[in-house]
Structures are given as C-alpha cells and as structure tokens.
C-alpha cells in the first residue's frame, strides 16, 4: 500500500509555506507497520531537504535512515498524521476510500466501489484521478450517461486528452451513439495514433453509424498507412460487399488469395460474399479455409448455414454451436 501526502510548508512553520513537501507512506501488506519516508538523494544518501528531516526529529520522531525511511508504530502514525494532515492537499480518509474502491473493483463488487467513490469525492473533490475513475463507474456500473457526461465536462479541461477521449467513447457506446464514437475515433487518428487497429476501429464505427462509404474510406486510408495489412484488407472487402459492390469485393479477395493463399479468412470471406449467387463456389471456399484452420469462424458459420439449408441439422449444429453467442443462437437451436 502506498500513499502520498503533500504539505505546503512544514506544519507549525510560517517561513516556507511556498515550498511543497512530500511525505510517502507505505507498507507491504495489512499486517505490516506503516513507514514514512522523505525524498532522499541517492548519491548523498541523505534527505533532499534537511529541514524536513530536522522537523521530524524536533517533533519527536527518529531521524530518517539513509534511504529516508522511518518505521512507525500505530501511535506514531496517528500522531504524525495529526500534525501534518491539517496542512495536506489530500486527507488520509481520501486515501482510505481510494484503496477501498480499488479493492472493491478488484473483487468485482462494483456497488461497493461506487459507494467508496462517492466517499472519495467528498473527501477530495479536486482529486482529478478520483473524478475520472468516478466517471468510469458512472458508465460501467450506474450506466448513467448524462451524469457521466456532466462530470466529465466539468474536468475535461484539466485531464489528459487521451483519457477524456476514451471516456467520451465509453459514454457514446452507452448511448449507442456511433456518430459520436466515430467523431472521437477520427480525432484519435488525426492526432497521430494511426496503428492498424485505430483505422479498423474508425472504419467499423462509421459502419455502425450507417456511414458505409465513410467506413470504407477510413479503411483505405489505413491501408495507405499500412500497405498489405490483411485485417484492414478484409474489412475493405466486407465494406465493399455491404455497399453492394459485391463484384469488386470478390475480385479484391481473389487478388488477396492469389498474393498469399495461406490466410484462411480470405478464403472464408470470399465464400461468404458469394454465398447467395454461387453457393457451390462458396462451399469450396469454406472447405479451403477450414483445411488451413478447422476453427475459422466465418467458414464454420457459412458452412453451418449451408448444412442447415440442406437439411443436415446435426452438421449445422456442430458448426454453429460454438458461435451461438455471436448471434447464431436461433440457427443453432
């Protein structure tokens, strides 16, 4: 466990209130004694600010060791907190609530985590990390998009832009607002995060928002950054087909297969794209995909639906059952 308290000046002294002093409290587990340490120079093996060490000794505490550490008994930690806490930016109670919230989240008890988060906000209303975490809890536990949005708007100017953007995307997902999600994802790539998955997410968010052409354009831009990326290429083919450009999608996938026939999803997607117009060719593509990867999802689902249409219920169930959670429960049943 680790806690940091900061004071402006040394308690009881009025001549150095413009200087901030750091007090670090830690203990390895619940049964160990708390330790307090002051910032120490590794070279000189002495406190960086000798007046802080002298203040501790004048207050009746042992001198810090070469590493700046003083072990504290329960009585000593209570006495030290009584001296410095009235001058701290954050209280010990705030750290207690912070730790309790973290333990509750780790245990999966989100109701308790939310209650501890409310206590933390009351104890330290200006603690930015606490407020950002509270927004997250408003989204994932309370599922209150309006409250989360209001809280986030109040702190957005002071918080890390990336963190704010992630939370805004979480709120957009809660509202099923894919236009807003795509807008925030566009900001991500415009500001320089242009990994393949950033482009893929942008394309898919446009697709979910109903802007298929915008999605395809985003994927093509991603391929400009990452030529030959097979995941992006597959998304391009899917979007072509969704736009009604089925011939282009088939030709595109055929070129991908010719360039490298070892990717099972390329075969499976070509089968999927032409399943309605050429079921025999689609079945051949599914077989090719499953020879490479017997568990390829698109090929398994495609073959399962073909088996179902042919009356092979057992074969269809074998193919579809692993993917029932993806929306094929009815067909598997």
């Amino acid at each position: 466990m680790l806690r940091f308290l900061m004071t402006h000046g040394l308690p009881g002294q009025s001549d150095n209130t413009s200087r901030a002093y750091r007090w670090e409290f830690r203990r390895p587990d619940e049964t160990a004694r708390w330790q307090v340490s002051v910032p120490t120079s590794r070279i000189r093996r002495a406190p960086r600010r000798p007046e802080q060490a002298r203040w501790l000794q004048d207050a009746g505490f042992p001198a810090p060791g070469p590493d700046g550490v003083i072990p504290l008994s329960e009585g000593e930690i209570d006495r030290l907190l009584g001296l410095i806490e009235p001058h701290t930016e954050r209280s010990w109670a705030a750290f207690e609530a912070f730790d309790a919230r973290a333990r509750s989240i780790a245990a999966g008890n989100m109701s308790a985590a939310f209650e501890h988060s409310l206590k933390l906000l009351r104890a330290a209303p200006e603690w930015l990390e606490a407020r950002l975490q509270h927004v997250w809890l408003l989204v994932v536990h309370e599922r209150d998009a309006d409250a989360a949005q209001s809280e986030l708007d109040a702190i957005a100017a002071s918080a890390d832009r990336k963190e704010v953007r992630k939370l805004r995307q979480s709120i957009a997902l809660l509202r099923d607002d894919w236009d807003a999600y795509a807008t925030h994802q566009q900001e991500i790539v415009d500001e320089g995060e242009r990994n393949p998955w950033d482009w893929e997410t942008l394309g898919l968010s446009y697709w979910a928002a109903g802007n298929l052409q915008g999605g395809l354009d985003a994927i093509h831009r991603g391929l400009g950054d990452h030529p030959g990326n097979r995941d992006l290429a597959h998304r391009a083919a899917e979007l072509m087909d969704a736009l009604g450009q089925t011939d282009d999608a088939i030709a595109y996938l055929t070129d991908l297969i010719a360039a490298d026939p070892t990717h099972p999803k390329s075969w499976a997607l070509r089968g999927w794209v032409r399943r309605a117009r050429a079921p025999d060719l689609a079945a051949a593509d599914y077989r090719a995909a499953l020879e490479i990867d017997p568990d390829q999802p698109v090929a398994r689902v495609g073959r399962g639906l073909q088996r179902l249409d042919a009356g092979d219920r057992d074969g269809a169930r074998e193919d579809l059952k692993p993917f029932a959670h993806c929306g094929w429960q009815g067909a598997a049943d």
Side-chain angles (χ1 to χ4, degrees):
M1 299 177 66
L2 179 63
R3 297 174 183 178
F4 300 101
L5 296 182
M6 300 288 293
T7 61
H8 290 288
L10 293 168
Q13 299 183 8
S14 59
D15 58 345
N16 59 356
T17 55
S18 63
R19 175 173 286 187
Y21 290 88
R22 175 187 176 103
W23 313 79
E24 181 177 304
F25 295 83
R26 69 172 67 229
R27 61 176 174 174
D29 56 57
E30 296 285 349
T31 62
R33 292 174 61 182
W34 279 102
Q35 297 178 338
V36 64
S37 63
V38 297
T40 301
S41 169
R42 292 183 180 180
I43 297 175
R44 295 187 296 108
R45 302 288 287 173
R48 293 180 184 274
R49 293 179 176 172
E51 71 273 17
Q52 188 177 11
R54 287 196 298 271
W55 181 91
L56 281 163
Q57 291 178 272
D58 291 344
F61 296 96
D67 55 0
V69 174
I70 304 173
L72 299 172
S73 67
E74 288 297 322
E76 286 174 328
I77 192 171
D78 289 341
R79 188 165 69 85
L80 178 58
L81 289 175
L83 291 170
I84 70 172
E85 194 168 21
H87 306 274
T88 58
E89 296 175 346
R90 296 173 189 159
S91 67
W92 193 259
F95 280 96
E96 292 282 6
F98 185 92
D99 289 343
R101 185 187 62 185
R103 289 193 298 270
S104 296
I105 291 174
N109 188 345
M110 303 305 284
S111 295
F114 189 73
E115 292 303 314
H116 291 306
S117 185
L118 291 174
K119 292 178 183 177
L120 176 53
L121 291 183
R122 289 192 292 269
E126 302 304 318
W127 193 346
L128 186 59
E129 182 182 357
R131 295 185 69 179
L132 286 168
Q133 188 76 33
H134 192 68
V135 175
W136 179 77
L137 284 168
L138 284 168
V139 173
V140 301
H141 175 63
E142 295 294 293
R143 301 190 65 77
D144 189 337
D146 291 340
Q149 185 71 62
S150 177
E151 177 70 9
L152 184 59
D153 287 344
I155 58 177
S158 303
D160 178 76
R161 286 175 58 84
K162 292 182 181 179
E163 187 69 23
V164 170
R165 196 160 45 221
K166 288 178 183 177
L167 288 169
R168 291 202 190 284
Q169 286 185 306
S170 296
I171 293 169
L173 285 176
L174 183 58
R175 288 175 167 157
D176 200 24
D177 185 352
W178 287 101
D179 285 314
Y181 190 97
T183 297
H184 298 312
Q185 188 63 27
Q186 184 68 62
E187 293 171 357
I188 289 175
V189 297
D190 287 345
E191 293 183 10
E193 294 184 49
R194 304 166 74 94
N195 297 297
W197 54 87
D198 294 313
W199 286 111
E200 184 176 16
T201 301
L202 179 60
L204 290 174
S205 58
Y206 276 129
W207 190 351
N211 183 358
L212 276 68
Q213 188 59 55
L216 182 58
D217 292 343
I219 296 298
H220 282 317
R221 289 165 60 201
L223 285 166
D225 274 0
H226 305 279
N229 182 276
R230 192 58 69 114
D231 290 332
L232 290 174
H234 290 155
R235 292 301 187 192
E238 290 176 303
L239 278 157
M240 289 177 199
D241 184 46
L243 281 162
Q245 302 168 10
T246 302
D247 289 336
D248 291 340
I250 293 171
Y252 187 74
L253 288 163
T254 299
D255 288 342
L256 289 178
I257 292 168
D260 185 350
T262 65
H263 285 267
K265 191 172 182 179
S266 298
W267 290 98
L269 280 178
R270 191 174 69 173
W272 187 262
V273 168
R274 60 185 181 185
R275 66 193 183 282
R277 63 171 62 180
D280 291 341
L281 293 176
D285 282 340
Y286 295 149
R287 284 195 300 272
L290 293 170
E291 285 175 2
I292 301 170
D293 178 6
D295 295 320
Q296 210 294 315
V298 177
R300 286 284 297 274
V301 171
R303 186 177 68 177
L305 294 176
Q306 284 190 329
R307 286 176 165 178
L308 185 62
D309 290 341
D312 180 5
R313 300 177 65 82
D314 290 338
R317 184 176 294 108
E318 178 187 354
D319 274 334
L320 294 171
K321 190 173 182 180
F323 309 104
H325 64 284
C326 300
W328 301 105
Q329 183 67 58
D333 291 343

